[in-house]
């Protein structure tokens, strides 16, 4: 958690370059251990609903990236899925190898994001308005960091969402160069 906060703060400071130490990473073991850690942490909190994760990807699928950045990206998406689900969060992660890149989707069945807010969610400090009081805590840096970290890998991140139906993030990461 400390390393994640440190990286988010360093990326949020204007003009500061973040380093990326890329290596070949087996995706399934990385994402599987991350979902397990995430669930274990939430299970330790009194009254917290433990999310349900479904992972679909080839066991041999490899990604080229900085493991700490990648874990932080997915942790951000998982945390948002939990924060913006009215019931137990259901998160589906699908990773496939395509021509020249790896496509990873993270889909939840949460509250969703209105179309007019979707184009802003990757902006620094942007939070979807929720009336007079923000019911969900945060600073509007998580998705900003996720976008910056994905771009640092030479990739892209997009969102598709429907109110009341959930949100899907699609990340494209290039093959090793």
């Amino acid at each position: 958690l400390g390393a994640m906060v440190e990286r988010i703060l360093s990326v949020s400071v204007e003009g500061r370059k973040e380093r990326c130490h890329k290596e070949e990473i087996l995706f399934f073991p990385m994402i599987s251990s991350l979902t397990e850690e995430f669930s274990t942490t939430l299970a330790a909190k009194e009254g917290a609903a433990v999310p349900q994760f479904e992972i679909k990807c080839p066991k041999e699928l490899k990604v080229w990236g900085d493991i700490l950045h990648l874990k932080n990206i997915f942790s951000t998406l998982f945390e948002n899925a939990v924060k913006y689900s009215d019931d137990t969060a259901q998160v589906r992660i699908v990773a496939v190898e395509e021509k020249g890149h790896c496509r990873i989707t993270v889909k939840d069945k949460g509250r969703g994001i209105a179309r007019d807010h979707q184009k802003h969610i990757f902006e620094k400090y942007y939070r979807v308005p929720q009336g007079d009081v923000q019911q969900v805590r945060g600073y509007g840096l998580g998705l900003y960091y996720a976008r910056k970290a994905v771009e640092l890998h030479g990739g892209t991140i997009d969102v598709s969402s429907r109110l009341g139906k959930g949100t899907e993030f699609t990340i494209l990461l290039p093959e090793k160069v």
Side-chain angles (χ1 to χ4, degrees):
L1 180 62
M4 182 178 173
V5 169
E6 201 52 44
R7 286 203 186 231
I8 288 173
L9 291 176
S10 72
V11 169
S12 71
V13 174
E14 294 298 329
R16 185 162 173 199
K17 274 284 208 196
E18 180 62 29
R19 294 188 186 145
C20 193
H21 303 286
K22 295 180 185 174
E23 62 184 309
E24 200 170 65
I25 302 163
L26 280 169
F27 184 76
F28 183 80
M30 180 201 69
I31 205 72
S32 181
S33 70
L34 186 61
T35 58
E36 190 173 308
E37 289 170 26
F38 198 83
S39 294
T40 302
T41 301
L42 281 178
K45 291 183 179 182
E46 189 175 323
V50 178
Q52 297 173 355
F53 290 102
E54 177 187 1
I55 304 169
K56 288 193 169 251
C57 81
K59 303 282 191 242
E60 69 280 356
L61 179 71
K62 294 177 183 173
V63 294
W64 181 248
D66 181 301
I67 194 158
L68 189 54
H69 277 303
L70 292 174
K71 284 183 172 185
N72 289 341
I73 291 164
F74 293 107
S75 290
T76 296
L77 299 180
F78 299 162
E79 184 177 334
N80 283 349
V82 169
K83 286 196 301 190
Y84 297 103
S85 289
D86 293 324
D87 298 319
T88 300
Q90 297 177 19
V91 183
R92 185 170 198 248
I93 303 128
V94 178
V96 295
E97 190 174 351
E98 294 181 350
K99 289 182 188 176
H101 62 269
C102 180
R103 174 185 300 273
I104 305 160
T105 59
V106 178
K107 184 175 185 169
D108 67 51
K109 295 182 179 181
R111 296 178 197 160
I113 305 164
R115 183 178 302 271
D116 54 332
H117 294 290
Q118 291 177 34
K119 60 186 169 199
H120 299 290
I121 64 169
F122 296 109
E123 295 172 7
K124 188 192 285 187
Y125 306 122
Y126 186 81
R127 300 200 54 219
V128 175
Q130 298 180 2
D132 291 342
V133 178
Q134 287 284 21
Q135 296 172 331
V136 178
R137 299 171 80 183
Y139 299 101
L141 290 173
L143 291 176
Y144 170 78
Y145 166 80
R147 186 192 73 203
K148 289 292 188 187
V150 168
E151 289 172 352
L152 193 59
H153 283 81
T156 61
I157 182 170
D158 293 303
V159 65
S160 173
S161 187
R162 289 180 47 210
L163 285 176
K165 300 290 183 186
T167 301
E168 179 175 287
F169 289 92
T170 302
I171 298 170
L172 297 178
L173 296 174
E175 288 181 348
K176 181 177 176 179
V177 287

